[in-house]
mmCIF file of all heavy atoms in Angstrom:
data_model
loop_
_atom_site.group_PDB
_atom_site.id
_atom_site.type_symbol
_atom_site.label_atom_id
_atom_site.label_comp_id
_atom_site.label_asym_id
_atom_site.label_seq_id
_atom_site.Cartn_x
_atom_site.Cartn_y
_atom_site.Cartn_z
ATOM 1 N N TYR Z 191 -2.176 14.799 17.327
ATOM 2 C CA TYR Z 191 -2.736 16.070 17.825
ATOM 3 C C TYR Z 191 -1.656 17.162 17.785
ATOM 4 O O TYR Z 191 -1.916 18.302 17.427
ATOM 5 C CB TYR Z 191 -3.317 15.887 19.229
ATOM 6 C CG TYR Z 191 -4.250 16.993 19.675
ATOM 7 C CD1 TYR Z 191 -4.954 17.769 18.749
ATOM 8 C CD2 TYR Z 191 -4.402 17.292 21.019
ATOM 9 C CE1 TYR Z 191 -5.791 18.788 19.172
ATOM 10 C CE2 TYR Z 191 -5.248 18.316 21.427
ATOM 11 C CZ TYR Z 191 -5.932 19.057 20.496
ATOM 12 O OH TYR Z 191 -6.770 20.069 20.901
ATOM 13 N N ARG Z 194 -1.382 18.186 14.215
ATOM 14 C CA ARG Z 194 -2.567 19.004 13.811
ATOM 15 C C ARG Z 194 -2.451 20.436 14.341
ATOM 16 O O ARG Z 194 -2.784 21.389 13.674
ATOM 17 C CB ARG Z 194 -3.850 18.339 14.334
ATOM 18 C CG ARG Z 194 -4.235 17.103 13.568
ATOM 19 C CD ARG Z 194 -5.334 16.314 14.270
ATOM 20 N NE ARG Z 194 -6.517 17.091 14.488
ATOM 21 C CZ ARG Z 194 -7.351 16.948 15.533
ATOM 22 N NH1 ARG Z 194 -7.098 16.027 16.465
ATOM 23 N NH2 ARG Z 194 -8.392 17.703 15.681
ATOM 24 N N ILE Z 206 -11.672 15.817 15.424
ATOM 25 C CA ILE Z 206 -11.831 16.122 16.855
ATOM 26 C C ILE Z 206 -12.579 14.966 17.534
ATOM 27 O O ILE Z 206 -12.185 14.481 18.613
ATOM 28 C CB ILE Z 206 -12.609 17.458 17.072
ATOM 29 C CG1 ILE Z 206 -11.826 18.628 16.497
ATOM 30 C CG2 ILE Z 206 -12.900 17.676 18.552
ATOM 31 C CD1 ILE Z 206 -12.576 19.968 16.537
ATOM 32 N N SER Z 209 -10.389 11.932 17.933
ATOM 33 C CA SER Z 209 -9.330 12.184 18.909
ATOM 34 C C SER Z 209 -9.877 12.030 20.328
ATOM 35 O O SER Z 209 -9.322 11.313 21.185
ATOM 36 C CB SER Z 209 -8.783 13.594 18.677
ATOM 37 O OG SER Z 209 -8.073 14.057 19.772
ATOM 38 N N ILE Z 210 -11.010 12.697 20.593
ATOM 39 C CA ILE Z 210 -11.589 12.630 21.947
ATOM 40 C C ILE Z 210 -12.084 11.198 22.272
ATOM 41 O O ILE Z 210 -11.775 10.628 23.323
ATOM 42 C CB ILE Z 210 -12.758 13.630 22.088
ATOM 43 C CG1 ILE Z 210 -12.233 15.064 21.999
ATOM 44 C CG2 ILE Z 210 -13.537 13.410 23.392
ATOM 45 C CD1 ILE Z 210 -13.307 16.161 21.999
ATOM 46 N N LYS Z 213 -9.608 8.332 23.117
ATOM 47 C CA LYS Z 213 -9.092 8.384 24.487
ATOM 48 C C LYS Z 213 -10.153 7.908 25.470
ATOM 49 O O LYS Z 213 -9.856 7.208 26.441
ATOM 50 C CB LYS Z 213 -8.619 9.820 24.818
ATOM 51 C CG LYS Z 213 -7.342 10.180 24.060
ATOM 52 C CD LYS Z 213 -6.918 11.616 24.267
ATOM 53 C CE LYS Z 213 -7.703 12.582 23.428
ATOM 54 N NZ LYS Z 213 -7.123 13.878 23.164
ATOM 55 N N PHE Z 233 -14.287 25.493 22.003
ATOM 56 C CA PHE Z 233 -13.732 25.048 20.729
ATOM 57 C C PHE Z 233 -14.727 25.293 19.590
ATOM 58 O O PHE Z 233 -14.387 25.773 18.533
ATOM 59 C CB PHE Z 233 -13.550 23.522 20.842
ATOM 60 C CG PHE Z 233 -12.163 23.069 20.575
ATOM 61 C CD1 PHE Z 233 -11.299 22.832 21.641
ATOM 62 C CD2 PHE Z 233 -11.735 22.866 19.293
ATOM 63 C CE1 PHE Z 233 -10.034 22.431 21.434
ATOM 64 C CE2 PHE Z 233 -10.453 22.465 19.076
ATOM 65 C CZ PHE Z 233 -9.603 22.245 20.130
HETATM 66 N N1 URA G 3 -9.520 17.842 22.261
HETATM 67 C C1 URA G 3 -8.967 16.683 21.870
HETATM 68 O O1 URA G 3 -8.666 15.842 22.710
HETATM 69 N N2 URA G 3 -8.778 16.473 20.566
HETATM 70 C C2 URA G 3 -9.110 17.380 19.608
HETATM 71 O O2 URA G 3 -8.883 17.106 18.443
HETATM 72 C C3 URA G 3 -9.649 18.596 20.019
HETATM 73 C C4 URA G 3 -9.857 18.791 21.369
#
Side-chain angles (χ1 to χ4, degrees):
Y191 196 27
R194 286 168 58 212
I206 296 174
S209 162
I210 293 174
K213 289 175 281 201
F233 237 96

